């Protein structure tokens, strides 16, 4: 085995249906997602003609195409969210609604398998002339919805539509056939999903071919002609295996890297490993906001240059934060390193979660780290990728909690609840977490193998955590056993029924500073506690004015958990550098009350002291 | 009331005899102090002729003076320690021994009240010709011993000797009489102690006069002639009320500022307040080691220039760290600010405590923050101020735990145990602390007034602590009530019998950095957990070589409490920047096992990441 191949751990994901989330943080959000967000999104899709486009393309309705050429994808994404919701809880009404919509989707598919309502209705003779027109992007989301719906219900209708569509792609494109570079990556990761559920090898191989098409000048259309964008915008500037830096549109980049990781995982071929490591380091070490947000620029909805992380103008598209989860989860499965699950956590609790209101029906597209008071969530957008992405991301969030490592289980996320596994040896294991995470760092894990058996349990010690203790069966682990490997405590032993692990993670209030190269944050500090990044909102800080106050890194903050505030949050209460009262709330919870300013990075009060502590 | 006067809180100390320390940290150390350290020091005083000097000066023995001119003070300091020990636990044998020694001290007093065996034996005609000969320094320690012994036993012999001595000073020196500047400050703070026990006003007024003598060119003798030292060495360069910076010999400086604070407290006159604030800020913000150690230079046993804090050559005399406690405790009583008690804590658990071995019979004079392996505690020194200072400092350590604030009690230090108070209203109150401090940040305080009564309880939130929670009677305090004032949570209410406060202080593993101006610590980090500063010792880190390794600020350390190691310590276990195992122990516990290197400030591993957390 080469050195690179030996890096590949090739862990398997654990489906979210194996994971019951029963806590005070996520479960209420998931209920709202199901009861409010999904219906809201469906209604918006109806009202804006997104669903009617299919009916029209299928000849079931008169009329022109409504909206923008990628609008098909919104319907698919909502369907995908519905599918995940049905996986958690069957709902005949919702299923009936989904089936009705699927009928329309199927009707819109042309006889040769092509499916994209924009071209069918507007420009049937112009297909495949412009990489930017999201034809395969739409197709990818269709695939994801189809796979999810099939897994949820066993129904094949949409899956058959997806397979026909991909067979159509397969006939037109591929080795020896037409070139194609899809402007907005998405199809590539979707094809791997389709392969996994159908076991049809040519699906992931088509993905590989599409990835290999990039960076050789095969792009066509508007984007290629726009000098200001250039091929870096859609990651078509270099062959993917040669990628050194993250560039361009953030969501596209993240979906690309996700697909590259998927292809490595599916094929076992390490060809993309070096590029993945390089671009991960470049993204996370030079281009990521403390909230996990990425892509500072509204011009290209993406990246500019290293360390360019302005707070007020931060673009940080919600979809990009969600896509960071997708990518980092794959990286965790590939390499078995907790640092990727750290990024998943950062997005889950901050950058991605901020995208949705507590009421579940308002959304951010753009997620700044500072606002003078005029940035608010709204109920829909002309380009509504973000609401629909949240609609499918959140219901399946349990899939990020665990991984199967062959010899055992890796615990990647801490949430009160239960999960079940079948490890490689065939042993059935249940694991129950008792914890108040993310508000408290103590986690009790009950390990319940159906019979006594050998099993390796990995516990992630989050990257923000500097001190921990771990007990098994009431005894602290020995120094050797309690050491971390790639960020995990590894406990390999024979487990009996109802063995208990108690993990205590230091979860103090912490001051965060950014590297000096981040010029906007020179002289500023942020507050974090556990995975939660905090912010100041005007409504709690009436004596303060936007950016006209300081905060001392030595302030002692009262840690106050308020179950009735903002769905139940721990707030931090103290005085600012000018002696005025100040309160911090979790960043994800901002803009859910009265409008006003918000800041994550605040000016640090001058410190005469010698030591940071 | 002027603004300055309104700053004066004038809290009262709570005698250590009101405080029962019953914990796993201090009590064993105090037992060793009593059973080993005090007898050891007495034996050394015998062996080195320190006690015989008195017999000889008293004509009870033949022979010349042995040792150095300040050696009398060592005997006084050991006596003072014995007195404190007797206050905690009467011991007829020890008391008899002390009485025997006191007879010798009394015999050595000349008929006019003068007492200083060096001059009596060596140069009776040269008294008061050299400020550096420690005549009043010796006298001050005599006073402290006399006051303590009287308070312990009710016996007046030594107290009468002290009063006669001071009356002698009073006759020779004072307004309209001879000038005098004592080279090594000590008498000034002792005179205030004598005043407090005798209520004789002229004693603190003599102290005031002595303080006012400084800075006007009244010094005589060797020190004044030594150009390299200059009057700054013994703080005789400016009038004390004009002091802006800490200068010179560290112990002298600290004793001076202690006396200045004592005189403000005794007189109510705020004349020295501004100078005290200036010099405190200068000391703590520009000239203090993270261990609390002060005075980097072996040349003057003191200060050089701002931010000069080298690790390996650090002088950090044990006596200076102890003196920082004396001074900061007074400052806390004067101004009611927790930041002074923070410094007391820093010294108690680090800079001062490091001065004594766990076995109680070996001592450091010099306390470096790095050692290649050749710096060790020894059983005695020719100049043995440090062992004898530890011998009297530790047994009375309970006096720093509380203060009486008029309307109530301030809890300055957390230790398992009990204390009793009578507050201004006459109400008797008992307070019981249940805690594993300094290893754990949770403190339960049972408040037990003899009858229901109004009382203000202040709880210090340590300066290193960024997050806390506080409950009274099982309910979390409201945001307003839980706010800190000058570093204290203030709970003012009517208390019933057995009311319970639960204070939870975040006590995570913390990375400490020094200000950039501290050139030796650029690129270095230290570890702290709660009040404990950590270090690396070779004996736990066999794979590491002195300063040839790094440590990452993002390392996750296992927090492991080992009751059998070094008297019971929490160690921190992880890997260093090169992936080798590494362990940190508390700094105070270094050099108690096999010799080897030690470092507090370690090289920081290069960090590519964006955020400190």
């Amino acid at each position: 085995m080469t050195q690179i191949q030996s890096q590949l751990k090739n862990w398997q994901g654990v489906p979210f249906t194996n994971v019951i989330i029963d806590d005070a943080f996520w479960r209420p959000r998931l209920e709202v997602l199901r009861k409010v967000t999904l219906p809201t999104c469906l209604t918006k899709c109806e009202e804006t003609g997104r669903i009617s486009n299919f009916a029209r393309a299928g000849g079931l309705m008169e009329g022109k195409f409504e909206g923008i050429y990628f609008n098909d994808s919104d319907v698919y994404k909502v369907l995908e969210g519905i599918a995940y919701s049905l996986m958690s809880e069957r709902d005949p009404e919702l299923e009936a609604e989904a089936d009705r919509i699927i009928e329309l989707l199927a009707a819109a598919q042309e006889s040769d398998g092509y499916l994209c309502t924009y071209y069918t209705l507007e420009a049937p003779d112009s297909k495949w002339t412009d990489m930017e027109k999201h034809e395969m992007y739409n197709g990818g989301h269709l695939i994801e919805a189809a796979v999810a719906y099939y897994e949820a219900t066993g129904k094949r209708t949409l899956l058959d539509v997806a397979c026909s569509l991909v067979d159509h792609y397969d006939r037109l494109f591929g080795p020896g056939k037409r070139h194609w570079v899809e402007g907005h990556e998405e199809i590539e990761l979707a094809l791997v999903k389709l392969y996994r559920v159908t076991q049809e090898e040519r699906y992931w191989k088509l993905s590989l071919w599409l990835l290999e098409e990039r960076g050789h000048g095969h792009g066509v259309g508007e984007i290629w002609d726009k000098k200001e964008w250039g091929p870096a915008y859609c990651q078509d500037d270099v062959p993917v295996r040669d990628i050194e830096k993250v560039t361009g549109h953030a969501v596209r980049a993240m979906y690309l890297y996700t697909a590259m990781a998927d292809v490595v995982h599916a094929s076992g071929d390490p060809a993309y490993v070096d590029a993945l490591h390089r671009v991960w380091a470049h993204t996370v070490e030079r281009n990521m906001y403390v909230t996990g947000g990425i892509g500072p620029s509204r011009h290209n909805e993406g990246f500019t240059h290293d360390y360019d992380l302005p707070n007020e103008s931060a673009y940080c598209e919600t979809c990009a934060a969600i896509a960071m989860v997708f990518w980092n989860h794959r990286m965790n499965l590939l390499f078995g390193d907790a640092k990727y699950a750290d990024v998943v956590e950062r997005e889950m609790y901050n950058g991605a979660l901020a995208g949705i209101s507590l009421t579940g029906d308002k959304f951010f597209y753009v997620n700044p780290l500072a606002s003078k008071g005029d940035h608010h969530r709204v109920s829909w957008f002309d380009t509504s990728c973000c609401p629909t992405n949240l609609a499918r991301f959140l219901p399946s969030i349990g899939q990020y909690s665990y991984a199967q490592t062959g010899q055992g289980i890796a615990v990647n996320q801490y949430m009160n609840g239960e999960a079940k596994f079948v490890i490689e040896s065939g042993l059935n294991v249940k694991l129950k977490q008792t914890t108040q995470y993310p508000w408290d760092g103590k986690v009790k894990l009950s390990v319940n193998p159906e019979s006594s058996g050998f099993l390796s349990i990995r516990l992630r010690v989050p990257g923000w955590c500097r001190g921990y203790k771990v007990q098994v069966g009431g005894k602290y682990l020995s120094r050797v056993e309690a050491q971390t490997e790639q960020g995990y405590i590894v406990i390999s032993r024979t487990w009996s029924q109802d063995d208990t692990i108690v993990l205590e993670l230091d979860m103090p209030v912490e001051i965060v500073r950014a590297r000096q190269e981040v010029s906007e944050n020179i002289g500023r500090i942020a507050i974090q506690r556990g995975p939660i990044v905090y912010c100041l909102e005007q409504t709690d800080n009436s004596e303060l004015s936007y950016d006209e106050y300081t905060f001392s890194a030595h302030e002692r903050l009262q840690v106050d958990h308020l179950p009735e505030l903002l769905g139940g949050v721990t707030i931090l209460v103290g005085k600012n550098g000018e002696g005025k009262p100040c309160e911090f709330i979790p960043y994800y919870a901002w803009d859910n009350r009265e409008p006003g300013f918000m800041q994550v990075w605040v000016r640090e009060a001058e410190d005469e002291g010698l030591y940071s502590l």
Side-chain angles (χ1 to χ4, degrees), chain A:
Chain A
M1 212 191 321
T2 68
Q3 196 189 26
I4 294 174
Q5 278 170 323
S6 67
Q7 283 182 35
L8 293 175
K9 297 292 192 289
N10 285 321
W11 290 353
Q12 300 301 317
V14 173
F16 78 91
T17 41
N18 281 36
V19 180
I20 297 170
I21 297 171
D22 186 20
D23 71 342
F25 188 95
W26 290 106
R27 187 157 176 170
R29 304 301 299 261
L30 298 179
E31 287 290 300
V32 168
L33 198 299
R34 191 170 63 80
K35 292 183 180 155
V36 176
T37 313
L38 286 172
T40 297
C41 287
L42 265 186
T43 303
K44 288 293 182 187
C45 284
E46 288 281 6
E47 287 171 357
T48 57
R50 281 162 163 81
I51 295 175
S52 305
N53 281 338
F54 290 95
R56 287 183 282 255
L60 301 172
M61 229 177 108
E62 287 301 317
K64 291 178 165 305
F65 180 84
E66 267 186 83
I68 315 177
Y69 44 82
F70 40 64
N71 281 12
D72 288 356
S73 65
D74 294 325
V75 181
Y76 300 142
K77 287 156 79 178
V78 180
L79 259 177
E80 190 186 344
I82 288 171
Y84 296 144
S85 185
L86 294 174
M87 282 189 225
S88 298
E89 196 175 324
R90 291 306 279 263
D91 180 338
E93 259 188 56
L94 188 58
E95 193 167 335
E97 180 67 11
D99 287 334
R100 183 188 73 79
I101 293 168
I102 286 168
E103 288 305 312
L104 299 177
L105 308 187
Q109 185 163 42
E110 298 188 13
S111 53
D112 62 359
Y114 184 87
L115 180 46
C116 182
T117 67
Y118 171 75
Y119 275 103
T120 301
L121 288 168
E122 290 283 300
D125 299 320
S126 303
K127 294 167 187 169
W128 310 116
T129 58
D130 189 342
M131 67 194 292
E132 188 50 20
K133 284 298 193 290
H134 285 49
E135 289 165 277
M136 285 195 187
Y137 171 85
N138 288 328
H141 279 302
L142 166 65
I143 290 166
E144 294 200 79
V147 166
Y149 202 76
Y150 170 68
E151 288 180 335
T153 63
K155 293 172 178 170
R156 288 201 63 100
T157 309
L158 198 59
L159 187 64
D160 291 340
V161 169
C163 290
S164 297
L165 175 62
V166 174
D167 292 344
H168 176 76
Y169 295 158
D170 214 21
R171 283 192 296 276
L172 288 178
F173 307 105
K177 297 172 227 170
R178 281 184 65 172
H179 287 294
W180 186 253
V181 175
E182 181 64 19
H184 192 310
E185 296 94 317
E186 153 62 19
I187 182 64
E188 305 85 352
L189 67 90
L191 283 166
V192 178
K193 273 194 177 179
L194 191 63
Y195 152 67
R196 291 198 195 283
V197 79
T198 62
Q199 291 300 298
E200 190 70 44
E201 296 248 341
R202 65 194 165 85
Y203 293 155
W204 77 258
K205 285 178 178 169
L206 178 59
S207 177
L208 172 59
W209 178 83
L210 284 164
L211 292 171
E212 290 292 286
E213 279 284 285
R214 303 188 96 85
H216 301 287
H218 296 318
V220 294
E222 216 183 305
I223 289 294
W224 266 89
D225 300 334
K226 272 193 189 170
K227 286 194 177 55
E228 64 182 287
W229 297 122
Y233 172 73
C234 51
Q235 300 80 37
D236 191 26
D237 50 335
V238 298
V240 300
R241 67 183 63 213
D242 297 330
I243 286 172
E244 306 233 341
K245 297 174 180 260
V246 68
T247 66
H249 185 278
V251 182
R252 298 172 199 227
M254 295 303 116
Y255 283 2
L256 171 63
Y257 311 144
T258 301
M260 287 166 66
D262 273 337
V263 162
V264 171
H265 198 272
S267 66
D269 187 326
Y272 295 157
V273 164
D274 286 351
L276 283 168
H277 285 318
R278 284 191 300 261
V279 79
W280 188 89
H282 188 246
T283 305
V284 171
E285 292 170 2
R286 292 175 187 238
N287 290 283
M288 183 182 73
Y289 284 85
V290 72
T291 53
I294 48 169
S297 169
R298 63 182 179 85
H299 295 291
N300 66 348
E301 295 188 301
F303 302 97
T304 52
H305 55 83
D306 290 356
Y307 306 119
D308 182 28
L309 298 162
N311 294 309
E312 202 184 340
S313 63
Y315 198 72
C316 293
E317 187 181 335
T318 302
C319 282
I322 291 171
M324 276 280 262
V325 173
F326 297 163
W327 178 31
N328 277 273
H329 177 60
R330 266 76 157 176
M331 296 292 273
N332 175 261
L333 297 182
L334 269 185
F335 302 111
D337 194 315
K339 69 184 182 182
Y340 304 113
D342 286 340
V343 177
V344 169
E345 180 183 72
R346 191 185 283 276
E347 306 292 355
M348 272 171 57
Y349 286 100
N350 304 290
L353 191 61
I356 188 168
S357 67
L358 293 169
T359 50
D361 56 1
K362 287 199 164 57
F363 312 92
F364 278 138
Y365 194 109
V366 170
N367 292 274
L369 278 76
S371 164
K372 289 192 175 80
D374 49 10
H375 188 75
H376 305 295
R377 292 187 189 87
V378 296
S379 57
W380 199 246
F381 305 90
D382 289 340
T383 302
S384 234
C385 50
C386 296
T388 54
N389 226 346
L390 286 157
R392 62 170 190 143
F393 165 62
L394 288 171
S396 64
I397 209 164
Q399 66 178 300
Y400 307 114
S401 291
Y402 300 95
Q404 260 178 240
T405 67
Q407 280 217 328
I409 300 158
V411 183
N412 276 333
Q413 303 299 333
Y414 298 108
M415 282 180 213
N416 202 76
E418 292 188 49
K420 55 189 186 191
F421 313 86
V422 183
I423 63 168
E424 232 172 51
S425 64
L427 183 66
N428 282 302
V429 182
K430 280 190 187 166
L431 204 141
K432 180 175 172 170
Q433 292 195 34
T434 307
T435 178
Q436 289 168 3
Y437 204 95
W439 309 120
D440 190 279
K442 185 169 172 176
V443 186
K444 179 177 144 183
L445 300 105
S446 298
V447 184
N448 236 317
E450 64 175 343
S451 56
S452 214
F454 185 87
L455 167 63
S456 201
I457 295 186
R458 278 168 160 71
L459 305 173
R460 177 177 65 105
V461 180
W464 47 258
C465 177
R466 291 208 184 86
Y468 66 91
K469 302 180 189 178
V470 57
Q471 302 174 56
V472 178
K475 281 184 57 184
Y476 283 103
L477 288 190
S478 75
R479 261 170 259 185
V480 171
E481 237 186 331
Q483 288 277 54
T484 58
E485 283 172 34
Q486 296 204 120
Y488 292 98
I489 299 161
V490 185
I491 313 172
S492 301
R493 52 169 74 181
T494 300
W495 297 84
S496 303
Q497 296 185 311
D498 224 13
D499 265 335
T500 304
I501 304 171
V502 177
L503 176 66
E504 293 167 80
L505 303 169
D506 277 355
M507 192 185 275
V509 173
E510 297 259 20
I511 298 292
V512 189
R513 285 194 177 81
R515 224 180 158 84
Q516 284 289 98
E517 289 90 331
V518 183
S519 55
E520 289 87 356
N521 288 340
I522 290 173
R524 292 185 183 272
I525 51 182
I527 309 270
Q528 192 172 323
R529 182 174 182 273
I532 306 286
V533 173
Y534 279 78
C535 70
L536 267 166
E537 267 206 307
Q538 181 149 38
T539 192
D540 304 308
N541 294 280
S542 53
E543 293 192 46
L544 306 184
S545 303
Y546 179 79
D547 213 30
E548 284 177 24
Y549 58 90
T550 64
F551 186 76
S552 165
H554 296 281
E555 175 67 10
R556 304 160 182 92
L557 289 163
Q558 188 204 350
V559 176
D560 203 1
H561 189 76
L562 302 173
E564 301 307 316
L565 178 67
L566 294 164
V569 286
T570 292
I571 63 170
L572 307 173
V573 185
K575 287 196 202 62
N576 81 337
E578 290 72 44
K580 297 188 174 157
C582 73
E583 274 184 37
F584 292 85
I585 61 157
Y587 171 75
Y588 74 76
W590 86 280
D591 196 49
N592 280 285
R593 294 172 296 165
E594 300 75 24
F597 80 77
M598 180 280 293
Q599 292 191 263
V600 171
W601 290 94
V602 299
R603 291 180 192 276
E604 181 174 1
E606 264 200 55
D607 179 15
E608 292 303 323
L610 268 164
Y611 305 107
S612 55
L613 194 65

